[in-house]
Every structure is written in C-alpha cells, then in structure tokens.
Amino acid sequence: MKTKKTSRFFANNSALLIPLIAILLLVIFNLFRDPGFFSVSIAANNNGDPVLQGNLISILNGASELAILSMGMTLVTAASGGQDISVGALAAIAGSVFVKVLKGGGAITGSTVLLAVLACCAVAMLFGAFNGSLVAFFRIQPMIATLILFTCGRSIAYWINGGATPTVTSGIIDGIGSFIPGIPIPTPILIVIFMGILFALLFRFTTLGLYIQAVGINQGAARLNGINAVGMKLLAFVLLGVCCAVAGVIGVSRLSLINHETLLINIEMDAILAVAIGGNSLGGGKFKLIGSILGAYAIQALTTTLYAMKVSSTDVKAYKAVVIIILVVLGSPVVKEAMDRLWKKLRTSHPKDAGKEAA
Amino acid sequence: MRKVIALLLALVLVFALAACGQEAAKPEAKEDTPAGSAEGGLIKVGVINNPPSESGYREANVNDFTSVFTEENGYDAKFFYSIKNDEQLAAARQFITDGVDYLLISAAETTGWDAVLKDAKDAGVRVFLFDRMIDCDKDLFEAAVVSNMALEGETAVNWLLDQKLPEYNVVHIQGAMGSDAQIGRTGALDAQFEAGTMHKVVQQTATWDEGEAKKIVEAVINSGEPFNVIYAENDGMARGAVAALDEAGITHGVDKDVIVMGFDCNKWALRELLAGNWNYDGQCSPFQASVIDQMIKTLEAGGTIEGLNDAKQIISEEKGFDARTITQEDIDTYGLGE
C-alpha cells in the first residue's frame, strides 16, 4: 500500500523531484561541512523580544520576496508561455508608491499602512494589466512586452519619491519587514504562507488553475471550449502585479527604506530560474506552484551557503552558475527521459509493484 | 467590449508613461530658453552632467550646481543631463555653437572628448571638469575638481585605526565590484588586511543592495565567528547590516559591541550617527560648484587659478563624520536627501 502511494506520488509530482533534490543536496552538503548549520535557536533581539535565529530561518526569511514573485511568475509562464522580466522594476514602483502614501499622511497608523498597501497593489495591478494587455491583446512576446517596463520601471519609481532614499519610521513597518512583537517567526515567512494559502484557495474553489493551464497548452483549443484566453493571460499578469506589490512592500519594510535602484535588483532572473528549477515548462501549460516555491528556497539556500563558505565576492556568481548548470541539466528532457527509462527498468525488476500499479 | 477596455487601459498607461517622460525632459528644455536673458553682463555657462536620478549623490550634485549658477550670482546657466556620452557630446557642441563662455562637464565616459574640447578651445570657450576626469590633453581644460576615492577610503580606515581597538575583526560589505567607489573604499581596508593590523572576518559584495547586505551579515552571525566592526561601502548597506544586528540582539554604535561605518552621508544616516547608533560616515563630496564659481570669478577678474596639482586637479575635501562629534548643523549642511 505504501509503495503504491509513493510511486503514485512520484508519477504525479515528478516535476518536484528537481527542486527537492537540489534542496536535499544543499542540506547534505551543509550538514557535512558544518553539522550545526541548520540549528535554530531562540534569542532576544535588540527590542528584547524573543525571536528565532539560525541559517534555516535566514534562508526561509530571505527567500520570501523571491518565493512570492515566483508564484506569480509561474502563472504568467503557464498562461503565456513567456516570462515577465519587469518584476523587479515593478516591485520598485510598488515600493515607492507604498512609501509615498506613508509619507504623505502624517502619523503612520494601521489604517494608513493598509491604505498604502492597497494603493501600491492597485498601481502594480495597473502596470500588470499594461504588460498583460500587450501580451494578451497585442500578442507581443512576453519578454519583449515586459522589456518596456524593465527598462523604464526604476525611472518611474524615481519620479515617485525623487532621487534620495526616503526612510519611513514606524513600528508597524518593522512588524511587516522583521518581527511582530511576541511572534518569534519573521513576518515575511508568514506572508509567504498567507499568499500560498490564498493561491491554493483560488485554485481549489475556482477553475482558474485549469483554465490558465488550458490556455497555455493550446490557446485555440481553449478558446473553442469557451475559455477567454485573452482574459486569462491578462489575469495572470494582474495576479503577478499583486505579487510584485507584496514583494515590494516586504522589501521596503525590511529596512524601512526605499532605494529605487537596488530594491530587489536582478530578482527577475532568479524568479524565472525558480520557475525552471521548480520543474515547470518555460513554454507554458502545466504548472506546479509548489515547485516554483521550492525552487525559490533552493536558490536562497545556495546563496546563503556561498556566504557561509566565505566564497570571495568576485567568484560568487561563478559558483552559483556551476550549481545552476547542474540543476538545469538534471531537469532537462534528455536527462528526464533517461531517468524515466531507469525507473521503468527498476520497476520491471519488481513485478509485484508493477502489477499493483496496473491494477 | 473587453477588448475595448483592454485597449483603453493600455492607452491610458502609455499616455501616463509619455507624460512622465515629458516631465523628465523638463530640465533639458531649459536649454531652449531664449538667450535674450543673457543681457546685462551675465556670464554664460553650459553645464553638462549626469541626470539626478542616477543616485542620491548625483541629486545633491545637480542641486549644488543649480543653486550656485544662478542669475543672482551673475550667471546665465544652461543645464544638460544625460548618462549617454554621445548625447553629452552633442550637447557640448550645441553649447559651443550657442557661444557660452564656460563649459562645465561631468562626463559619462572618460574617452571621446578630445575633438569637442579642441573645438571649445578654438572657439574660446573655457572648460572646467568636475566630479569625473576625462582622458585628454590637460591643455584642453582650465581645471578639474574631482574626488579622490582612494583618499576617502584612507580617511575612513585611519579613523578606524584611531579608535585603538584591542583587535579588529572586520565584516567588509562591498559595493558593485569594479565601480570607482568600491575600488577606492576597498583599497584602504585591503591594505590593512594584508598588513595584518586588521582581521578579515568576511569580505563580500552586496552590489549596493541593502537587502543583500543584511543577508550577508546574517550568515556571519549564524557562523558564530566574532566580529566588532562593520565596514559597509554605502549607507544603505550599513543599514542592512544594522538590521541584521538588531534582529540578532547584537548592540552597535558608540561604546557598544560593534562599530558601524557607512559612506555617502545621507541625512538619515547622519541622524543615526547623531543618535549614537552608528559610529562613522564618510563622504565623497558632491559639492564642487562653489569651487568652480570661485575659479570663474578669478578668471573673469583677470587672475590665474592657483592650487592645482600636476594633473590640473583640485581634490575635493573628503569629509568623515564621527558619531561623537557630529552636530545637527553638520547634518543640515552636508547631509544628502531629506
């Protein structure tokens, strides 16, 4: 019974193998290097509140923005068969709007923060709709369409607040970006869980996931079946806009500061990579959100490992590239087929299991 | 219907973008103002600079020039901003054709200026360089007011040595590798690491990204290796490092466990100094306008410029602020941004 369940799990989730293997390898490597690497302790921060500490927490916390962006990126990839390279720039715009609203209204209270979050979500959704309409309506390739915002996004972010790096000081902002007093888990981790649940519910109670998948696999067939293909693509970009806004708010809140030039810089490439490592086809169609999220954590785990190993600053990107090459090759169709053949061979040598599977 | 809405939405955004674009172009439009205002013995000056959106440093630099070269100070100044060398070159030619008396240049790139500067010399336009040097014959310009990034790093490291700590365990967070500021600010500290006077706990680049700086410092804290100095090559990264210290319950600032050093002198960073949360902030001075103003006034009065080094440079004075001695007045005078 148990073997049947496992083999089914792998049949349904073979795409998840790559990120899981990646994380497993990094975990083993780190445990070998430093047995205490993943130890988590609880200690007081400078405000006197007890908080969780350790590399594991750093990885989970540090990957938050990437995890959230990779969720939205997965949807866009699935629906449009292309990637949005403007997510970092859009997060910078959203973060700038967030700060602008906060600085505009005197004292920062719960309601002004809520207003600021809503405002930056609205702006990010509008820009998402702009990208989406270029892709869905004008059928421009996603990477080209989003190249526009990629190029000008950080300039737009500059116009919102001016050149300097404005700061906002408020306990509520610290609560979003760091810790809520009394809760030892970093808030960004909680926000990722919240967003994950939100998407899970969306797919559970609507047909959105199925429709996006259908549009990605065959747009014409989907349309003939009464699915609004243009609308689905547009919606995917708008949802990514929301993800950008949330990521931007977290990024700004971590340090209570917006630097339009460096906020989540180069994150678009990591987000695309997370989708790919997560076993999702970059050509669109079937997707697994959880794969991309695992991919995001794998990327952050890799970066944190390199920092812990004190790799020299000039070499860090090269090391990262080597690991990524290995992961991407492992996930390539050729290697996958070879693995499948190996798997079948193993199963035929255990005819009992194979019989069960057939039944 | 939906298609129409989508189209409208796209158009609205396009126009919004276009509107923003025009706004950005405004400073450039200044150069189109009729030259008639140049009457009354005003000195005609053309200023070529990088756009203020480049950085907080550049914004302060641009504000410095627009506040010094005004009509009240006896100037008819035109400004042009671009990060592209060819656009800057075209603007320089235009300024020469317009018959300016002085050309002030902060070039996007160090090469390609010879021909234009020769034209300027032939036309009797006198050239000052500021902030950045140009690779050219030094007869082609009057003087260059520049920063010495290496000096800035040395000033900071000398301050650190003056603290006479029993031992120096330094976490060094670098800017984007290869940038002038990174090379200058790293060099002085590297010399100490090599000499053995300071111990390098970690040296890593965060490419000016404050969030990444926080992650680097978290990794150091988690490794359990002791450190007592954070040397971050700009204010944002120092702020990121401090956030990691705060979360780990490590005290920092004047007479605390860890010394925090930053660069750029943003106003918010200097306020951290004043509150004793940080220890030192160094600055690569963005204020060159008044020095050039003085030199132009000297030339106009028939005098000669003095105090130049062999490369015809005047090195801006590099400031470094100590948390123990900084005052609110320093913040108001030298702080960048708000």
Side-chain angles (χ1 to χ4, degrees), chain A residues 45-46 53 55 58 62 103 126 130 137 156 159 163-165 178 228 255 257 262 300 307 310-311 313, chain B residues 2-3 13 17 20 53 59 174 201 204-205 210 212 215 218 222 225 239 246-250 268 338:
Chain A
N45 66 7
N46 274 350
Q53 286 170 11
N55 279 315
S58 287
K103 288 189 92 75
L126 263 176
F130 168 72
F137 192 72
I156 296 172
W159 293 327
T165 47
S178 162
N228 179 355
L255 301 170
L257 161 146
T262 58
Q300 185 57 48
Y307 286 158
K310 296 187 184 174
V311 169
S313 32
Chain B
R2 274 182 198 170
K3 277 183 186 172
L13 277 160
L17 285 177
C20 294
S53 62
E59 193 182 38
Q174 297 167 294
V201 175
Q204 187 58 263
T205 176
E210 30 289 286
E212 208 56 34
K215 291 178 190 173
E218 273 178 25
N222 292 335
E225 200 170 325
R239 192 181 177 99
D246 277 337
E247 286 186 3
I250 298 169
W268 55 260
E338 50 179 274

Side-chain angles (χ1 to χ4, degrees), chain A residues 100-117:
Chain A
K100 181 79 179 174
V101 175
L102 286 180
K103 288 189 92 75
I108 296 172
T109 61
S111 50
T112 49
V113 173
L114 187 68
L115 181 72
V117 171

Side-chain angles (χ1 to χ4, degrees), chain B residues 319-332:
Chain B
K319 284 235 174 301
F321 294 100
D322 186 322
R324 287 194 173 86
T325 55
I326 193 169
T327 61
Q328 183 62 43
E329 204 187 339
D330 289 332
I331 299 179
D332 296 336

Side-chain angles (χ1 to χ4, degrees), chain A residues 25-46:
Chain A
L25 281 178
L26 283 164
V27 167
I28 293 170
F29 176 77
N30 276 310
L31 285 178
F32 185 69
R33 208 178 49 80
D34 171 15
F37 188 79
F38 289 106
S39 64
V40 172
S41 61
I42 199 156
N45 66 7
N46 274 350

Side-chain angles (χ1 to χ4, degrees), chain B residues 115-184:
Chain B
V116 171
L117 295 189
K118 274 189 190 110
D119 288 352
K121 198 177 174 73
D122 294 345
V125 177
R126 288 191 267 201
V127 177
F128 285 94
L129 309 181
F130 63 94
D131 175 41
R132 297 182 186 187
M133 283 304 290
I134 290 176
D135 283 336
C136 68
D137 189 15
K138 64 184 175 187
D139 290 340
L140 293 177
F141 59 91
E142 302 299 317
V145 184
V146 291
S147 298
N148 184 336
M149 295 285 185
L151 189 68
E152 188 192 5
E154 277 161 29
T155 311
V157 170
N158 286 338
W159 175 88
L160 185 55
L161 286 170
D162 283 345
Q163 303 310 300
K164 307 261 188 287
L165 301 181
E167 53 177 353
Y168 288 92
N169 295 313
V170 184
V171 174
H172 180 191
I173 304 166
Q174 297 167 294
M177 300 302 286
S179 59
D180 277 354
Q182 179 270 322
I183 293 168

Side-chain angles (χ1 to χ4, degrees), chain A:
Chain A
M1 190 63 200
K2 202 184 167 195
T3 44
K4 188 175 173 186
K5 243 187 173 171
T6 352
S7 59
R8 243 199 208 161
F9 175 80
F10 281 123
N12 291 337
N13 296 290
S14 65
L16 294 185
L17 270 177
I18 298 302
L20 284 174
I21 288 174
I23 291 177
L24 200 68
L25 281 178
L26 283 164
V27 167
I28 293 170
F29 176 77
N30 276 310
L31 285 178
F32 185 69
R33 208 178 49 80
D34 171 15
F37 188 79
F38 289 106
S39 64
V40 172
S41 61
I42 199 156
N45 66 7
N46 274 350
N47 291 334
D49 298 311
V51 296
L52 288 171
Q53 286 170 11
N55 279 315
L56 187 63
I57 301 298
S58 287
I59 293 168
L60 290 177
N61 186 9
S64 300
E65 292 97 323
L66 184 56
I68 290 169
L69 288 177
S70 68
M71 293 183 208
M73 187 69 85
T74 312
L75 296 185
V76 162
T77 301
S80 71
Q83 286 73 42
D84 183 337
I85 57 170
S86 67
V87 289
L90 184 47
I93 295 174
S96 298
V97 172
F98 182 63
V99 171
K100 181 79 179 174
V101 175
L102 286 180
K103 288 189 92 75
I108 296 172
T109 61
S111 50
T112 49
V113 173
L114 187 68
L115 181 72
V117 171
L118 290 178
C120 85
C121 274
V123 169
M125 283 163 80
L126 263 176
F127 278 103
F130 168 72
N131 280 337
S133 56
L134 287 181
V135 172
F137 192 72
F138 294 100
R139 292 192 216 147
I140 301 171
Q141 278 214 338
M143 211 169 269
I144 304 302
T146 55
L147 188 63
I148 300 167
L149 198 55
F150 171 80
T151 313
C152 69
R154 290 188 188 271
S155 300
I156 296 172
Y158 163 75
W159 293 327
I160 294 169
N161 278 313
T165 47
T167 56
V168 279
T169 323
S170 156
I172 303 170
I173 302 299
D174 290 340
I176 297 173
S178 162
F179 292 91
I180 298 168
I183 300 175
I185 303 167
T187 318
I189 297 180
L190 301 176
I191 297 175
V192 175
I193 295 172
F194 173 75
M195 290 295 285
I197 291 174
L198 220 59
F199 274 114
L201 290 178
L202 194 64
F203 294 142
R204 176 73 184 76
F205 290 106
T206 69
T207 49
L208 183 73
L210 189 68
Y211 281 10
I212 283 181
Q213 206 159 294
V215 170
I217 292 170
N218 187 333
Q219 191 177 335
R223 202 172 43 239
L224 289 178
N225 279 294
I227 299 173
N228 179 355
V230 171
M232 280 301 137
K233 282 186 186 174
L234 199 64
L235 189 60
F237 274 95
V238 171
L239 286 173
L240 177 57
V242 175
C243 292
C244 289
V246 175
V249 167
I250 296 176
V252 167
S253 303
R254 277 190 198 279
L255 301 170
S256 315
L257 161 146
I258 173 92
N259 181 340
H260 63 273
E261 282 300 334
T262 58
L263 180 74
L264 299 179
I265 193 154
N266 297 337
I267 201 160
E268 46 278 340
M269 294 307 148
D270 277 349
I272 295 169
L273 193 62
V275 174
I277 292 178
N280 297 296
S281 159
L282 291 187
K286 279 191 167 182
F287 67 94
K288 280 235 183 302
L289 225 49
I290 187 76
S292 305
I293 297 170
L294 288 175
Y297 288 121
I299 292 170
Q300 185 57 48
L302 173 61
T303 312
T304 302
T305 304
L306 290 175
Y307 286 158
M309 284 169 66
K310 296 187 184 174
V311 169
S312 132
S313 32
T314 41
D315 306 345
V316 78
K317 277 182 183 159
Y319 278 91
K320 223 174 162 178
V322 170
V323 178
I324 288 162
I325 291 169
I326 295 171
L327 287 179
V328 174
V329 169
L330 270 181
S332 69
V334 177
V335 176
K336 257 189 189 162
E337 265 172 38
M339 297 250 272
D340 273 350
R341 276 203 299 277
L342 195 72
W343 180 246
K344 269 183 196 151
K345 241 188 205 169
L346 283 176
R347 277 210 310 192
T348 45
S349 61
H350 296 286
K352 219 173 130 194
D353 277 3
K356 263 191 184 172
E357 183 68 5

Side-chain angles (χ1 to χ4, degrees), chain B:
Chain B
M1 185 59 200
R2 274 182 198 170
K3 277 183 186 172
V4 175
I5 291 173
L7 188 65
L8 276 177
L9 221 52
L11 282 176
V12 164
L13 277 160
V14 165
F15 281 125
L17 285 177
C20 294
Q22 274 160 10
E23 212 171 290
K26 260 179 200 165
E28 296 170 25
K30 266 189 188 167
E31 63 172 299
D32 296 332
T33 45
S37 59
E39 302 304 318
L42 292 176
I43 305 168
K44 288 178 82 179
V45 179
V47 182
I48 295 172
N49 202 345
N50 295 272
S53 62
E54 183 205 68
S55 59
Y57 170 89
R58 191 61 59 187
E59 193 182 38
N61 184 243
V62 165
N63 287 340
D64 185 40
F65 276 83
T66 48
S67 66
V68 167
F69 291 98
T70 57
E71 228 163 290
E72 296 85 71
N73 279 341
Y75 292 101
D76 169 31
K78 298 168 185 175
F79 299 89
F80 179 82
Y81 305 108
S82 174
I83 45 167
K84 289 193 180 141
N85 215 37
D86 52 345
E87 286 180 14
Q88 287 193 340
L89 286 167
R93 286 218 163 78
Q94 186 60 46
F95 280 146
I96 295 168
T97 317
D98 291 351
V100 294
D101 302 315
Y102 294 91
L103 203 52
L104 317 185
I105 304 169
S106 172
E109 287 168 28
T110 53
T111 52
W113 285 86
D114 291 76
V116 171
L117 295 189
K118 274 189 190 110
D119 288 352
K121 198 177 174 73
D122 294 345
V125 177
R126 288 191 267 201
V127 177
F128 285 94
L129 309 181
F130 63 94
D131 175 41
R132 297 182 186 187
M133 283 304 290
I134 290 176
D135 283 336
C136 68
D137 189 15
K138 64 184 175 187
D139 290 340
L140 293 177
F141 59 91
E142 302 299 317
V145 184
V146 291
S147 298
N148 184 336
M149 295 285 185
L151 189 68
E152 188 192 5
E154 277 161 29
T155 311
V157 170
N158 286 338
W159 175 88
L160 185 55
L161 286 170
D162 283 345
Q163 303 310 300
K164 307 261 188 287
L165 301 181
E167 53 177 353
Y168 288 92
N169 295 313
V170 184
V171 174
H172 180 191
I173 304 166
Q174 297 167 294
M177 300 302 286
S179 59
D180 277 354
Q182 179 270 322
I183 293 168
R185 290 166 192 179
T186 296
L189 196 56
D190 264 347
Q192 299 298 324
F193 290 152
E194 268 164 37
T197 43
M198 294 184 187
H199 169 63
K200 174 165 70 179
V201 175
V202 79
Q203 181 177 53
Q204 187 58 263
T205 176
T207 55
W208 309 126
D209 179 354
E210 30 289 286
E212 208 56 34
K214 176 168 180 269
K215 291 178 190 173
I216 291 168
V217 175
E218 273 178 25
V220 180
I221 294 169
N222 292 335
S223 76
E225 200 170 325
F227 60 92
N228 60 354
V229 177
I230 300 255
Y231 183 98
E233 290 181 358
N234 78 356
D235 285 340
M237 297 193 297
R239 192 181 177 99
V242 166
L245 297 179
D246 277 337
E247 286 186 3
I250 298 169
T251 60
H252 50 85
V254 178
D255 298 324
K256 298 285 171 56
D257 291 345
V258 175
I259 285 182
V260 178
M261 301 173 72
F263 286 94
D264 288 352
C265 292
N266 285 293
K267 281 210 169 93
W268 55 260
L270 295 180
R271 281 194 285 268
E272 295 283 351
L273 254 71
L274 194 62
N277 296 328
W278 295 15
N279 302 71
Y280 178 90
D281 206 358
Q283 186 176 50
C284 156
S285 169
F287 309 115
Q288 299 120 356
S290 55
V291 179
I292 294 178
D293 170 41
Q294 295 261 314
M295 291 193 288
I296 289 178
K297 296 274 162 74
T298 310
L299 287 175
E300 288 294 309
T304 51
I305 302 167
E306 285 166 12
L308 298 178
N309 65 12
D310 292 343
K312 276 184 138 177
Q313 292 171 331
I314 288 181
I315 307 293
S316 303
E317 189 193 345
E318 307 302 347
K319 284 235 174 301
F321 294 100
D322 186 322
R324 287 194 173 86
T325 55
I326 193 169
T327 61
Q328 183 62 43
E329 204 187 339
D330 289 332
I331 299 179
D332 296 336
T333 315
Y334 298 105
L336 307 186
E338 50 179 274

